[in-house]
Amino acid sequence: MKNKLITMQEAVAQYTWDGMTFAHGGALPVGSDCIAFFREMVRQGVKNVNLISNCNTQGSNLLAAAGGVARMEVGFSGLEVYGFANGLKRAVESGKTILEDYSNGGIPNRLFGGAMGWPFVPTFVSWGSDQAWASADEPDTYPNDKKIPAIKDPFTGVTMGAMKSLNPEVACIHVTMADIYGNCIMLGTEWSRFELSRAAKKVVIQADYIVDTDCMRQFPNLVRIPDLVVDAVVYWPMGVWPACSTGVYDSDEEHMFYMNKLLKTEEGTVEYIDKYVKSYSTPEEFLDVIGKEKVDQLCKSATNFLVDPYRKWIKSDAEIKELMGGR
Amino acid sequence: MKNKLITMQEAVAQYTWDGMTFAHGGALPVGSDCIAFFREMVRQGVKNVNLISNCNTQGSNLLAAAGGVARMEVGFSGLEVYGFANGLKRAVESGKTILEDYSNGGIPNRLFGGAMGWPFVPTFVSWGSDQAWASADEPDTYPNDKKIPAIKDPFTGVTMGAMKSLNPEVACIHVTMADIYGNCIMLGTEWSRFELSRAAKKVVIQADYIVDTDCMRQFPNLVRIPDLVVDAVVYWPMGVWPACSTGVYDSDEEHMFYMNKLLKTEEGTVEYIDKYVKSYSTPEEFLDVIGKEKVDQLCKSATNFLVDPYRKWIKSDAEIKELMGGR
Amino acid sequence: MDYSKNEMMAIATGREFSDGELAIFGVGLSMLAGFFAQRNHAPNMIAFTEGGVYGSTPVGGLPWGIEDNRISANATSFTNAIDALGMLVASGRVDNAVIGAAQIDKFGNVNTTGIWTEGTQPWKVGKYTLPKVRLNGSGGANEIAVGAKKYIIMAAHEKKRFAEKVDYISSPGYINGGDDRKKYGFPGGGPSAIVTNLGILRPDPVTKEFYLDSYFVFSSVEEIIENTGWDLKVSPNVKMIPEPTEKELENLRAVDETGSLRKK
Amino acid sequence: MDYSKNEMMAIATGREFSDGELAIFGVGLSMLAGFFAQRNHAPNMIAFTEGGVYGSTPVGGLPWGIEDNRISANATSFTNAIDALGMLVASGRVDNAVIGAAQIDKFGNVNTTGIWTEGTQPWKVGKYTLPKVRLNGSGGANEIAVGAKKYIIMAAHEKKRFAEKVDYISSPGYINGGDDRKKYGFPGGGPSAIVTNLGILRPDPVTKEFYLDSYFVFSSVEEIIENTGWDLKVSPNVKMIPEPTEKELENLRAVDETGSLRKK
């Protein structure tokens, strides 16, 4: 098995392109999405992306604010208690982003179908609602019978819906720990990351920690994403900031509000990108941008004890540099 | 949450009955099935059982040999390298047990569908084969178009099969560790135990170890079966014997062959039941029946290190007795 | 007694939960109402979040989201969305739940997706135009609407929110009323109550149109009718909802540590 | 050189694997052939078992089953059947695999379910009677047959096993030949070879009927025809399969620690 560690710049350069279908996260708005990967997508100016989002997060909010999202299939487009996602909301209301609505359970089911090689999944979810009848992709037909067409259960005769399975071209998935081959451990709910890692054609991992493979051999039942479905691994501390990574850091409430406020306008978005996207290139510089004091504060989480069993296998920055072979 | 610890005798008395639909294991033939629970079913003389078996194991082999299995839906009816399952084979060839064939992936998919509340799951598996065309339940129709009826994918027009979902009345699932509320940790592949624990209407857990709930709070990502889907917990060491429980004991090769040899005939089955089913009533007596030397030998497994992180939370027999409240 | 309208609403919602139920809560008001019920009168209620977080209670304040560390610090199990929303909720297994609504109609259909300029709603013009205001989408509320044995809708009682027909059905209630849910095969039973800051509406057993069941001491039948956008029927037995007891208030405030419900 | 027929068969099977392939093996002969290939010429082959056991190699001898502790002692990941058989195999993701057969027919259909008294097979009498001999069922072989990009069938070459038509199709090959797989929408490509203790058969690119491609130094075209229950076509380029090289034998025997293949 080969060493798959690459830099964030390399990962975005190799695994993203204009017009791609990109799935992210498999996480909730305040949960473990690959926000750092999104920042780099914005920096490299990826455009016209078809997003497969379980939920919106600050990552998709940022990319949409920057005008990079052509289309998005999503279960929840807000930021939970942080309110509406202003960047995305602006893009949708102006018609820049076409938003196709599903539900929080619907997207994981569609990814499950894609992972299984099924062309569709049967569903009662979204059925009998405007999530089935209204389609932003086919706006001129209402009620629409093609987005979630009817299918008859051959055993009971009940008519239910069929949802199209999803096989995104690329997914970036945040995990707590990965080894250099791509074996991954997630702490906290895995939300839809398991099925996403199998449904996507290419998978890039963004990890809080790089750990030795011995950690995986001690806890193989925790390795829900095995190396064989992973194409690249990026080490990026605080990669979910300003949201939280269970066990590692809490969400930055102040920055969540601040970021969302700036994304409300085009000028604010430019300002945000200058300050928090273009202002660094290495993980070390990224931590400086957040600020040492803030990082230390956020990394004191009531969930820290969850990482304790694995600490002895965590690689130091110096060890990781060596594993990166001078990249 | 209530203390769900009960004895094996109570579990079988409360959760099994003649004519029931019973699912077991979600395990492979040499893997973690609830063999001890099957022994008690045989002792209590449960009859006419409709088995939902992912694979046959020594448990279903024994119950079938004893004449307790009316019908079985199964993906694999053998014992892997240990050969044919003689008790089951005899019951099938004599017409005592109706065996309805699926595949090893088909049964988990059907349990998944049952857990999801879908009436069916789409399938290419079993499709275009005699697993679809031949039905032991409806022997007079061949080719059969009702066992796995055709369904058309509304997106591509491809015709595929629909498999009926499964919601067994009761499942017994073996796990490595459980707390008294039914939170469970499995070591080794979980095979189809996750979806089985959600598809079954009642779930009884058979555990190698009882651990403190603090263990679950330290490793919540390992708790793939949470308390809320569990009805009862039975503590039963060596409960998978003569097959293996990853991390705890290896399979007893000698007894695997010996047991299977006896189950080949009715007389042998009676002998086996006398010696290895009716000869004990407590876990302690059960270990005596296996023999201390043999137990010690089997419990020296190359997989033992997998249990190390959890040892400090394992309850002693004395503590468990107290938790059982004098049962 | 001194309490806020929001506290009354949370307590009235909490009273809809019975001991022993399997329940799912969202963040915010819904979680407060649920944990209040558990503390007050339903100690054996089993609650989880759609994040697949089991056995936990909030630590350090109300969570900002259902995957927030504040709800993950003392969990006994973490699984995933397919498990929590699919196997436990959409499947028909959950007994009770709470969802919110930006707009709601007389058959209990909920809109959390978008507000359209009057006359441009998809169901009126037969096509999908851009909403004037994009809301957040259904999240896991659609699963609850489809699968929960019953559930409660919480909403601020205003005329523009209580519409004859919602602009967009994000989470289906009784759709066009009567038996309409049957047509869709939903495992769940539909909404059992709409609890607002003014009172409680319940569905007619046959037509499934929501009528006024009860009001608070600080509201009235007239006020509720005025603030409802459809021709609201009133139960012949319409009654006043008992004020919070001291014990209820004490338990609610123990859950609402930061006093978020007292503010208004 | 001194080697057994079973060793030749395992090596011939192993040669069908290329470096870098994602492969799934069963227990026994299949696993030996696979691990031999990995050691001998396909170091970057990624292998797993249908048990959802990843990254492991056998410890303490060949496993008795795919969930045996002997294959679980040094895994990097344990998942489940839906993942291994559904998401990786049936979905069409796996490159190559090996399955066994108790009975096989000219279109590569495999029977591992039962042997019927001649004339009572379901497809002959239009009903399902009891098999004379109950076999083990398909296990995960059906998933491989449906989903693997290609796969190899290993079988003992005997006339009664190599039938015009199998009693029961447990794992579909090319069904009735030609394009027949297309009718069923299978993601996988079908069997690429039947490797026996006498030689190798391959499917005709158009008719999908298996013809004799090659034989071993210790067998012959005639012997193979005699031991085949259908009118076996022989390739105009039929050739002898090269004997094992010293390196191949060394690598096979390193994998077959207990010498199980040498015994016969």
Side-chain angles (χ1 to χ4, degrees), chain B residues 1 112 114-117 183 194-195 197-201 213 216-217 219-221 223-230, chain C residues 22 43-44 46-48 54-56 72-80 82-83 86-88 90-93 187:
Chain B
M1 191 63 65
F112 183 88
M116 294 295 281
N183 291 299
F194 180 85
E195 47 277 6
S197 71
R198 275 71 169 175
K201 287 168 194 161
T213 303
M216 308 310 180
R217 295 200 193 278
F219 296 101
N221 281 92
V223 181
R224 299 271 299 158
I225 302 181
D227 48 23
L228 59 87
V229 299
V230 172
Chain C
L22 179 63
N44 301 305
I46 301 165
F48 64 100
Y54 302 105
S56 71
S72 298
N74 60 9
T76 48
S77 170
F78 291 130
T79 64
N80 51 55
I82 285 186
D83 182 36
M87 297 180 174
L88 298 178
S91 69
R93 189 162 182 151

Side-chain angles (χ1 to χ4, degrees), chain B residues 96-283:
Chain B
K96 193 172 253 170
T97 298
I98 290 176
L99 203 153
E100 193 68 279
D101 274 286
Y102 287 89
S103 70
N104 274 1
I107 300 279
N109 293 354
R110 296 175 66 207
L111 292 169
F112 183 88
M116 294 295 281
W118 298 344
F120 74 94
V121 286
T123 189
F124 290 117
V125 164
S126 288
W127 189 230
S129 81
D130 277 307
Q131 287 175 34
W133 302 324
S135 166
D137 279 335
E138 283 193 323
D140 290 339
T141 316
Y142 181 96
N144 191 303
D145 60 1
K146 286 201 210 110
K147 180 180 168 188
I148 302 181
I151 191 163
K152 200 187 223 182
D153 167 36
F155 298 101
T156 61
V158 165
T159 299
M160 57 193 303
M163 273 194 195
K164 202 175 166 61
S165 295
L166 288 169
N167 289 103
E169 290 172 316
V170 175
C172 182
I173 298 176
H174 176 86
V175 303
T176 320
M177 293 167 259
D179 71 11
I180 60 171
Y181 310 113
N183 291 299
C184 303
I185 292 178
M186 297 173 271
L187 299 182
T189 166
E190 62 189 38
W191 195 243
S192 62
R193 289 180 279 177
F194 180 85
E195 47 277 6
L196 175 55
S197 71
R198 275 71 169 175
K201 287 168 194 161
K202 297 277 174 193
V203 172
V204 178
I205 295 297
Q206 171 192 298
D208 283 319
Y209 296 119
I210 302 298
V211 296
D212 196 275
T213 303
D214 283 351
C215 181
M216 308 310 180
R217 295 200 193 278
Q218 180 65 65
F219 296 101
N221 281 92
L222 283 175
V223 181
R224 299 271 299 158
I225 302 181
D227 48 23
L228 59 87
V229 299
V230 172
D231 296 277
V233 177
V234 175
Y235 167 59
W236 200 269
M238 298 296 292
V240 180
W241 178 77
C244 62
S245 177
T246 304
V248 193
Y249 40 90
D250 289 336
S251 60
D252 183 342
E253 299 168 18
E254 193 188 353
H255 195 88
M256 285 292 284
F257 282 118
Y258 166 81
M259 177 175 180
N260 198 33
K261 192 179 138 200
L262 286 193
L263 299 185
K264 197 165 188 170
T265 64
E266 258 187 74
E267 309 76 57
T269 302
V270 169
E271 184 186 332
Y272 187 82
I273 291 172
D274 278 343
K275 280 191 182 158
Y276 292 101
V277 172
K278 296 187 172 165
S279 53
Y280 63 87
S281 57
T282 64

Side-chain angles (χ1 to χ4, degrees), chain A residues 1 112 115-117 183 194-195 197-198 200 213 216-217 220-221 223-224 226-229, chain D residues 22 44 46 48 54-55 74-80 82-83 86-88 90-91 93 187:
Chain A
M1 192 63 65
F112 183 88
M116 295 295 280
N183 291 299
F194 181 85
E195 47 278 5
S197 71
R198 275 72 170 173
T213 304
M216 310 309 180
R217 295 200 192 278
N221 281 93
V223 181
R224 298 271 299 159
D227 48 22
L228 57 87
V229 299
Chain D
L22 179 63
N44 301 304
I46 301 165
F48 63 100
Y54 302 103
N74 59 11
T76 48
S77 169
F78 292 128
T79 64
N80 51 55
I82 284 186
D83 182 38
M87 297 181 174
L88 298 178
S91 68
R93 187 161 183 154

